[in-house]
């Protein structure tokens, strides 16, 4: 601690004494000038010190340590407590990039506020806990429901993921012309889709599928989101590890997309090049290949220390390689205001009082509301009328817990479970009977203990809160099937046998096989991992205070038997675009307590866009949101032809009886396909087939 204090004092003295004489401390100069000046003052060893996630303090020049890497998928993870929003897959289900941008702006406000509270990081000494660099969002494609990190994603569609990802990146980084609020790092570049073998996985993927499916969301985060950083993946693609892949990190990312920021490895990925992929025989070669391929920063603090120093001494890398990486890293630090003391950085003024504020709590509640997907509602079971209920049974694994999902922080305020949300909503006038999950005993075979049976038998309605959690899906753990766990399956059957008036609430981060439940249970609600205010939001939906309008960002398949092998990266029988079989719930699906009518489709062709206009009218009994979705089919294609592809959407609020004219602009740049014969994108002339509807399987208008 004494050493850190001395460095801080030294840096402060350097700033006060040399601000007028050292160009890199002169805030009137451009970022580029300042970076080049500082780079010229660093030794090779000092430059290499910059190129690791846990970058040490520079005692000679007097600037403090910088620890890259924290997480913010749905709220800042550490240090301390923050606002916890719904997990990323839930945020995707809002189909609302504007809301997501507001959420990520809030997340970065809280990050800067804690950074300021910790005296601009001086009092923060733990690795991966600084608050200016976040390894978020995750924009890998949820191509298979067995993948354990599906909850971290925005679903199976590259267009939806790109729209949501770019909005998230913009909110994190802010909109100041000079300063970055924080650095956003989309991950994991690219095709990181298996956990059980992620360190040595070698994905075999054609360039068509890479260009049309696995890369576009990253491209959106770079081209439209202007992400300052990007994280490489553990896996290899067609025999070459992503972390040492010059085609991926230089040709595509920098030459084609114009990326100017820095690339960081997934933690330990440089070592995987040598140890797991066996791509090199020496550690020095692994470090050198990664650096030359375009990897600027190592997470792991292993290979960009001694092996890289040795590679430099051996001539495997030269000063230009070192300078290139150091320059990119220093540019981000300069944009963050790391070397500035003038007070001109507005983000240095964000108060710690915003963290977990009432305003942010209300935003978490709104996010949870908008994320909820109504999957089934037979005979208008929902919404429940509390004035007609005397007793409610609340049962199930996830009833009294608050499941946040992986990479989650802790909330400033007490989180609201679904049980608590129901109790708060109905008050003392309705008897809420809760049977703890532990009381279920050995539920396999329907052998339920007496408390759950009694609650179900003596209640007007049973609300069963089931699903999964981090013990089943998370980083490092895939699923072998998509079934609801056997004990829960038997439990819900037993509850239904006792009381047919059952509402099933699913808390999970990916799709489940709910065929029996869909055939028998009257109403099913998907809450995802709904964040700190999830219980309140679910209660509001169950009792009709909020009309659900979330839409599925991925397909609910009937069974894994319907899917190709997990390690098959071909898309010709995956996702709503190409899957040939029947599904349980299609991509884009979600019910409402109201009904909506579409009409009067008009298409206007312009130079850079194709504008799609249509009317949507709320013809039901409730005010509510509708998510209008625009799909296209191009006039030409090479190879297997997608049935339809999402290229636009808009969430609109309509009062009962209200009609709105909805306009969705399709970007010409998105109307393309990859020609493997010509090794380039082809943009067909004219207007594609346009399909407008309420889901990928519910098309209302075609032209």
């Amino acid at each position: 601690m004494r050493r850190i204090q001395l460095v801080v004092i030294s840096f402060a003295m350097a700033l006060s004494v040399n601000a007028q004489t050292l160009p890199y401390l002169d805030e009137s100069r451009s970022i580029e000038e300042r970076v080049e000046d500082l780079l010229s003052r660093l030794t090779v060893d000092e430059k290499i010190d910059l190129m690791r996630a846990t970058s040490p303090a520079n005692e000679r020049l007097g600037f403090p340590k910088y620890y890259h890497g924290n997480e913010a998928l749905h709220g800042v993870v550490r240090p301390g407590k923050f606002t916890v929003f719904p997990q990323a897959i839930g945020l995707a289900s809002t189909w609302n990039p504007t809301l997501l941008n507001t959420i990520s702006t809030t997340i970065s406000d809280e990050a800067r506020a804690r950074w300021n509270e910790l005296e601009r990081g001086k009092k923060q000494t733990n690795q991966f806990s600084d608050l200016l660099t976040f390894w978020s969002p995750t924009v890998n494609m949820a191509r298979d429901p067995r993948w354990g990190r599906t909850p971290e994603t925005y679903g199976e569609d590259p267009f939806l993921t790109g729209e949501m990802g770019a909005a998230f990146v913009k909110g994190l980084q802010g909109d100041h012309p000079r300063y970055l609020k924080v650095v956003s790092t989309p991950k994991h570049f690219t095709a990181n889709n298996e956990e059980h073998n992620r360190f040595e996985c070698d994905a075999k993927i054609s360039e068509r599928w890479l260009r049309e499916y696995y890369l576009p969301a990253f491209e959106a985060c770079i081209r439209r989101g202007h992400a300052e950083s990007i994280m490489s993946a553990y896996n290899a693609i067609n025999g070459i590890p992503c972390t040492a892949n010059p085609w991926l990190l230089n040709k595509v990312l920098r030459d084609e997309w114009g990326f100017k920021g820095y690339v960081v490895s997934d933690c330990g990925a440089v070592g995987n090049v040598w140890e797991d992929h066996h791509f090199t025989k020496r550690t020095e070669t692994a470090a050198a290949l990664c650096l030359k391929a375009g990897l600027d920063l190592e997470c792991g603090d292993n290979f960009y220390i001694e092996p890289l120093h040795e590679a430099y001494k051996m001539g495997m890398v030269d000063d230009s390689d070192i300078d290139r990486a150091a320059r990119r890293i220093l540019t981000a630090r300069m944009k963050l205001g790391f070397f500035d003391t003038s007070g001109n950085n507005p983000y240095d003024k964000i108060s710690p009082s915003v963290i977990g504020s009432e305003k942010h709590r209300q935003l978490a509640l709104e996010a949870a509301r908008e994320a909820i997907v109504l999957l089934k509602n037979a005979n208008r079971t929902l919404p429940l009328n509390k004035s007609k209920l005397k007793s409610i049974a609340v049962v199930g694994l996830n009833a009294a817990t608050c499941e946040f999902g992986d990479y989650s922080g802790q909330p400033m305020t007490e989180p609201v479970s679904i049980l608590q949300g129901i109790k708060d909503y109905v008050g003392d006038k309705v008897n809420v009977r809760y049977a703890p999950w532990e009381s279920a005993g050995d539920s396999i075979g329907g052998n339920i203990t007496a408390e759950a049976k009694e609650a179900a038998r003596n209640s007007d309605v049973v609300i069963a809160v089931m699903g999964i959690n981090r013990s089943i899906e998370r980083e490092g753990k895939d699923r072998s099937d998509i079934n609801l766990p056997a004990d829960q399956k038997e439990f819900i059957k037993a509850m239904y046998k006792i009381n047919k008036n059952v509402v099933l609430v699913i808390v999970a981060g990916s799709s489940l096989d709910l065929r029996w439940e869909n055939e028998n249970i009257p109403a099913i609600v998907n809450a995802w991992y709904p964040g700190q205010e999830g219980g309140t939001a679910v209660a509001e939906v169950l009792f009709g205070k909020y009309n659900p309008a979330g839409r599925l960002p991925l397909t609910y398949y009937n069974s894994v038997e319907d899917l190709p092998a997990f390690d098959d990266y071909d898309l010709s029988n995956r996702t709503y675009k190409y899957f040939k079989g029947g599904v349980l719930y299609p991509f884009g699906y979600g019910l409402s307590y109201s009904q909506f009518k579409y009409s009067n489709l008009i298409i206007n062709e312009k130079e850079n866009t194709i504008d799609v206009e249509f009317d949507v009218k709320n013809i039901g009994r409730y005010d509510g949101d509708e998510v209008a979705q625009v799909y296209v089919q191009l006039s030409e294609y090479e190879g297997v032809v997608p049935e339809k592809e999402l290229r636009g959407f808009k969430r609109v609020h309509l009062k009962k009886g209200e009609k709105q004219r909805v306009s969705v602009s399709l970007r010409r740049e998105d109307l393309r396909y990859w020609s493997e014969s010509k090794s380039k994108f082809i943009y067909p002339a004219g207007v594609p087939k346009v399909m407008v509807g309420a889901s990928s399987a519910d098309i209302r208008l075609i032209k």
Side-chain angles (χ1 to χ4, degrees):
M1 181 62 70
R2 173 68 175 167
R3 180 177 177 182
I4 293 173
Q5 290 173 339
L6 288 174
V7 171
V8 171
I9 293 171
S10 176
F11 184 43
M13 292 177 63
L15 290 175
S16 62
V17 173
N18 296 318
Q20 301 302 318
T21 58
L22 298 180
Y24 81 89
L25 296 175
D26 183 356
E27 296 178 38
S28 68
R29 294 175 180 266
S30 69
I31 295 291
E32 292 77 13
E33 287 179 295
R34 297 176 68 189
V35 168
E36 290 305 319
D37 177 71
L38 179 53
L39 194 64
S40 71
R41 298 173 189 276
L42 297 172
T43 66
V44 170
D45 288 348
E46 290 170 335
K47 292 171 186 174
I48 293 176
D49 278 347
L50 297 172
M51 297 163 55
R52 49 197 261 217
T54 309
S55 181
N58 187 308
E59 295 187 14
R60 184 176 68 86
L61 292 177
F63 57 82
K65 59 83 181 171
Y66 186 87
Y67 290 170
H68 296 77
N70 202 330
E71 307 288 345
L73 291 173
H74 57 125
V76 180
V77 171
R78 52 185 174 259
K81 296 182 177 181
F82 300 87
T83 303
V84 180
F85 296 93
Q87 178 58 289
I89 194 71
L91 296 176
S93 299
T94 69
W95 288 59
N96 191 341
T98 301
L99 175 67
L100 186 57
N101 181 263
T102 302
I103 289 169
S104 60
T105 297
T106 298
I107 291 170
S108 55
D109 280 349
E110 293 198 353
R112 271 287 182 169
R114 181 57 48 79
W115 173 260
N116 296 337
E117 182 181 27
L118 295 173
E119 297 181 9
R120 298 184 70 198
K122 296 181 182 70
K123 292 184 177 179
Q124 196 301 103
T125 58
N126 296 322
Q127 293 184 0
F128 310 122
S129 296
D130 266 352
L131 294 139
L132 299 186
T133 304
F134 289 94
W135 292 332
S136 305
T138 299
V139 291
N140 292 114
M141 303 313 305
R143 67 181 178 91
D144 191 297
R146 289 167 285 196
W147 183 36
R149 299 189 78 168
T150 295
E152 297 178 40
T153 75
Y154 298 131
E156 72 178 30
D157 182 71
F159 180 82
L160 177 63
T161 299
E163 294 295 290
M164 302 301 276
F168 189 90
V169 170
K170 289 179 180 178
L172 277 192
Q173 296 193 160
D175 56 4
H176 195 276
R178 179 178 180 87
Y179 291 108
L180 285 169
K181 196 194 303 184
V182 304
V183 168
S184 176
T185 308
K187 62 183 182 185
H188 313 79
F189 194 53
T190 190
N192 180 25
N193 281 135
E194 295 178 82
E195 295 303 294
H196 63 281
N197 65 343
R198 62 183 182 152
F199 298 131
E200 68 273 5
C201 174
D202 181 12
K204 305 301 184 183
I205 312 174
S206 70
E207 188 164 2
R208 176 194 174 176
W209 296 131
L210 281 169
R211 296 286 191 168
E212 292 185 9
Y213 188 71
Y214 295 101
L215 291 177
F218 287 99
E219 183 177 3
C221 288
I222 299 306
R223 287 188 184 271
R224 297 201 300 278
H226 306 291
E228 187 70 21
S229 176
I230 197 167
M231 176 179 278
S232 68
Y234 287 126
N235 57 281
I237 295 176
N238 301 324
I240 304 176
C242 291
T243 305
N245 193 322
W247 176 83
L248 189 66
L249 303 185
N250 282 328
K251 184 181 184 298
V252 174
L253 180 62
R254 297 188 184 281
D255 297 344
E256 295 184 17
W257 297 351
F259 178 64
K260 302 298 183 186
Y262 66 88
V263 180
V264 60
S265 73
D266 203 343
C267 296
V270 180
N272 298 136
V273 171
W274 164 70
E275 187 172 11
D276 298 285
H277 291 292
H278 307 294
F279 196 67
T280 68
K281 295 182 179 180
R282 303 176 58 127
T283 58
E284 299 88 351
T285 309
L289 284 179
C290 289
L291 180 60
K292 284 186 170 294
L295 185 79
D296 307 301
L297 180 74
E298 182 199 10
C299 173
D301 288 5
N302 293 309
F303 280 64
Y304 275 18
I305 303 181
E306 290 307 317
L308 185 56
H309 278 92
E310 289 302 311
Y312 177 77
K313 293 175 184 176
M314 297 167 67
M316 294 182 180
V317 297
D318 58 26
D319 288 296
S320 66
D321 298 315
I322 303 292
D323 284 356
R324 181 177 58 246
R327 179 180 294 109
R328 292 167 178 164
I329 295 164
L330 282 176
T331 297
R333 286 208 206 177
M334 282 287 184
K335 290 180 179 179
L336 288 165
F338 188 80
F339 298 96
D340 293 5
T341 60
S342 66
N344 290 329
N345 186 344
Y347 304 129
D348 288 340
K349 300 179 178 65
I350 299 177
S351 169
S353 65
V354 306
I355 303 173
S357 66
E358 177 61 18
K359 179 181 178 181
H360 293 182
R361 190 185 72 79
Q362 289 296 328
L363 183 62
L365 175 58
E366 180 58 27
R369 290 170 178 147
E370 292 201 19
I372 292 171
V373 183
L374 180 60
L375 296 175
K376 183 183 178 184
N377 193 23
N379 301 317
R380 295 181 176 173
T381 299
L382 296 177
L384 301 172
N385 187 340
K386 70 176 181 179
S387 67
K388 295 183 179 180
L389 298 174
K390 294 181 180 180
S391 182
I392 300 171
V394 181
V395 298
L397 173 72
N398 289 328
T401 62
C402 293
E403 294 294 338
F404 294 153
D406 215 356
Y407 285 120
S408 301
Q410 291 298 313
M412 293 282 286
T413 56
E414 187 69 21
V416 184
S417 69
I418 293 173
L419 172 65
Q420 189 61 50
I422 292 170
K423 286 183 174 181
D424 292 343
Y425 192 87
V426 301
D428 298 331
K429 295 183 179 180
V430 181
N431 181 18
V432 178
R433 300 171 179 267
Y434 170 58
W437 178 249
E438 290 77 13
S439 72
D442 181 11
S443 63
I444 297 177
N447 183 25
I448 310 299
T449 64
E451 191 172 357
K453 282 187 175 182
E454 181 185 1
R457 185 176 295 113
N458 296 300
S459 296
D460 298 318
V461 61
V462 177
I463 299 175
V465 189
M466 316 301 279
I468 52 182
N469 53 37
R470 290 184 68 254
S471 69
I472 293 175
E473 57 177 1
R474 66 175 189 273
E475 180 177 9
K477 186 175 180 62
D478 292 317
R479 294 192 285 165
S480 59
D481 58 52
I482 58 173
N483 300 326
L484 192 67
D487 57 346
Q488 295 190 58
K489 178 77 73 172
E490 295 306 313
F491 181 84
I492 193 69
K493 288 182 178 180
M495 291 293 98
Y496 181 70
K497 185 176 182 180
I498 295 168
N499 187 335
K500 295 294 189 289
N501 195 17
V502 176
V503 175
L504 175 61
V505 178
I506 293 294
V507 174
S510 53
S511 60
L512 292 165
D513 174 0
L514 299 174
R515 283 175 291 177
W516 183 90
E517 291 77 7
N518 188 62
E519 291 172 3
N520 294 278
I521 303 300
I524 305 174
V525 173
N526 186 353
W528 306 105
Y529 297 126
Q532 67 179 55
E533 306 299 324
T536 301
V538 169
E540 290 181 350
V541 165
L542 293 177
F543 292 94
K545 183 178 180 181
Y546 186 83
N547 187 352
R551 300 293 184 262
L552 294 179
L554 38 71
T555 301
Y556 270 50
Y557 299 99
N558 287 314
S559 168
V560 292
E561 281 71 32
D562 293 341
L563 295 171
F566 192 11
D567 61 356
D568 183 353
Y569 284 76
D570 187 282
L571 267 294
S572 57
N573 196 29
R574 288 189 185 276
T575 80
Y576 75 94
K577 296 185 182 187
Y578 302 99
F579 186 69
K580 300 175 179 63
V583 301
L584 181 60
Y585 305 118
F587 174 82
Y589 171 84
L591 301 176
S592 169
Y593 295 151
S594 200
Q595 298 83 42
F596 300 90
K597 180 181 179 181
Y598 289 68
S599 63
N600 195 20
L601 174 62
I602 295 177
I603 299 174
N604 297 310
E605 186 177 5
K606 296 182 179 178
E607 182 178 357
N608 296 317
T609 64
I610 294 175
D611 294 344
V612 180
E613 295 183 2
F614 48 92
D615 292 331
V616 179
K617 184 177 182 179
N618 184 342
I619 59 173
R621 300 185 298 170
Y622 297 86
D623 298 348
D625 291 1
E626 172 70 337
V627 179
Q629 303 163 38
V630 180
Y631 298 85
V632 303
Q633 189 179 75
L634 301 184
S635 59
E636 59 183 77
Y637 235 107
E638 278 190 18
V640 59
V641 178
E643 181 179 338
K644 58 179 69 74
E645 298 180 282
L646 183 72
R647 285 298 180 267
F649 58 89
K650 185 167 289 186
R651 182 167 180 150
V652 294
H653 182 75
L654 295 163
K655 295 180 180 180
K656 58 182 179 180
E658 180 185 2
K659 181 169 71 173
Q660 278 190 31
R661 188 69 177 163
V662 178
S663 179
V664 179
S665 291
L666 314 184
R667 294 183 294 263
R668 286 278 190 187
E669 63 196 58
D670 295 327
L671 305 177
R672 65 186 187 181
Y673 69 90
W674 182 259
S675 168
E676 294 204 307
S677 63
K678 298 178 181 177
S679 295
K680 67 177 183 179
F681 278 110
I682 302 297
Y683 299 82
V687 177
K689 180 180 179 182
V690 174
M691 296 161 274
V692 178
S695 81
S696 62
D698 185 7
I699 300 301
R700 309 286 182 87
L701 305 171
I702 300 176
K703 182 171 284 189

